[in-house]
Amino acid sequence: MDRYGVIGHPIRHSRSPDIHRHFALLTGQHLSYERIEGTLDGFESEVVRFFAAGGLGLNVTLPFKERAFALAALHSPRARVAHAANTLGVTPEGTLWADNTDGEGLVRDMTLNLGVTLEGSRVLILGAGGAARGIVQPLLEAGIVQLDIANRTLVRAQTLVRELESLPSAVSCRAFSWPDIPAQAYEVVINATSTAVAGDLPPLPAALFDQRTLAYDLGYGKGPTPFLKLAGQAGAGRTEDGLGMLVEQAAESFYLWRGIRPPSAEVLRALRAACH
Ligand code: NAP
């Protein structure tokens, strides 16, 4: 059977095996998908061993996404912007390739599942870590007109914006430190910080949100995240978590490996029902 998996540390909470097995069932694909507990000092050899034993594809999660990117010989443009990969595969000649499907997953969730029009939108991303890097390039290609990135550590946002300015894109990009976030309404505000669980998000200007604003948290859990609660109270017209992005980034990986787009909306509904 064709062999796939997800590698991370820790890996026991990953929902990827459930999602990919569901995709395989719905598309009639015969494949196995396993959880692999990677080790901090052995990640590279574990990946090499997996592919040498005939494995066809790996999803990569924390803390190995940058190392997965460095290990591969071929990189997609979106993985290059991210400096990180969440999807690995091999060419027919056996060369390891790396891609990053997080941003495509986000854009597909927003546009297809949530019916949001990104064309002409002004977008604010909170955070400039790995997840923010993973989503910026597909967002730039989705027709937005303004991309602002605010981060607690300003220099990380500035570095990312400088890199985006070197890409062939007409979108205006700006970097802000947290206290300097412009007090203006955005059509989309994305929380790409790692504060979804701890809830220690610094204060945000209420003016960021109005009835037209989609507040989107890459994090997810039972019930609204602290950011989504805050955005809703500040007047955001719509608040959504990142479960849809999780399913859509998996669907994009499945598509890269198998050439078939799985019915992701059905899997998202099942996952959402299981979460409540
Ligand atoms: P990361 O590389 O560690 O970056 C963390 C980011 O959060 C940095 O910008 C950091 O700012 C900021 N931050 C952390 N604590 C903060 C605080 N108390 N106040 C303000 N900013 C704070 O993590 P990541 O890989 O980007 O992951 C971010 C989140 O995205 C995680 O919750 C992850 O689960 C989620 N994610 C979801 C999906 C999905 O499919 N839904 C996919 C990928 C990631 P500094 O630079 O100042 O430290």
Side-chain angles (χ1 to χ4, degrees):
M1 210 188 276
D2 291 348
R3 204 177 146 212
Y4 297 86
V6 57
I7 184 166
H9 179 86
I11 200 60
R12 65 184 178 284
H13 297 302
S14 172
R15 294 173 196 229
S16 295
D18 297 334
I19 296 173
H20 280 277
R21 285 178 201 142
H22 208 154
F23 287 163
L25 203 68
L26 291 171
T27 54
Q29 298 282 297
H30 296 287
L31 56 86
S32 69
Y33 190 104
E34 64 203 89
R35 271 189 189 86
I36 302 170
E37 181 71 45
T39 59
L40 295 181
D41 52 5
F43 168 75
E44 285 76 9
S45 44
E46 286 149 9
V47 169
V48 169
R49 247 194 331 270
F50 176 86
F51 285 104
L56 293 182
L58 277 178
N59 283 128
V60 182
T61 185
L62 295 177
F64 299 127
K65 290 183 177 184
E66 286 83 5
R67 286 168 68 177
F69 176 82
L71 185 61
L74 300 172
H75 306 99
S76 68
R78 57 196 181 188
R80 245 180 261 129
V81 174
H83 299 309
N86 72 344
T87 309
L88 295 173
V90 275
T91 65
E93 297 74 35
T95 307
L96 188 67
W97 57 257
D99 203 340
N100 192 315
T101 64
D102 280 342
E104 184 67 19
L106 172 73
V107 168
R108 289 182 78 87
D109 187 40
M110 284 184 176
T111 57
L112 301 178
N113 297 335
L114 305 176
V116 169
T117 302
L118 287 172
E119 280 85 8
S121 295
R122 289 160 304 164
V123 177
L124 171 66
I125 297 179
L126 304 170
R133 280 190 165 273
I135 62 175
V136 284
Q137 209 228 9
L139 275 173
L140 289 182
E141 290 178 353
I144 66 172
V145 291
Q146 173 83 47
L147 181 61
D148 289 346
I149 299 172
N151 198 43
R152 182 175 60 177
T153 310
L154 174 61
V155 66
R156 287 183 93 185
Q158 287 172 325
T159 305
L160 181 51
V161 162
R162 251 197 319 276
E163 289 175 35
L164 295 182
E165 282 168 348
S166 70
L167 296 175
S169 162
V171 179
S172 149
C173 300
R174 304 184 295 182
F176 295 97
S177 65
W178 209 277
D180 295 327
I181 294 175
Q184 66 165 74
Y186 290 84
E187 281 77 33
V188 180
V189 181
I190 299 169
N191 181 27
T193 71
S194 48
T195 61
V197 178
D200 50 356
L201 194 72
L204 288 167
L208 297 183
F209 309 98
D210 68 17
Q211 263 313 300
R212 293 164 305 163
T213 308
L214 164 67
Y216 191 104
D217 199 329
L218 299 198
Y220 48 84
K222 274 205 168 87
T225 64
F227 165 72
L228 294 180
K229 277 190 203 147
L230 180 157
Q233 284 157 7
R238 196 160 180 196
T239 57
E240 300 287 349
D241 71 16
L243 198 64
M245 169 177 166
L246 178 76
V247 173
E248 293 299 340
Q249 59 79 27
E252 182 71 8
S253 297
F254 192 91
Y255 177 68
L256 290 173
W257 292 326
R258 308 295 297 183
I260 295 172
R261 221 166 250 297
S264 46
E266 193 176 331
V267 176
L268 175 57
R269 267 194 301 279
L271 200 60
R272 180 88 61 203
C275 282
H276 291 297

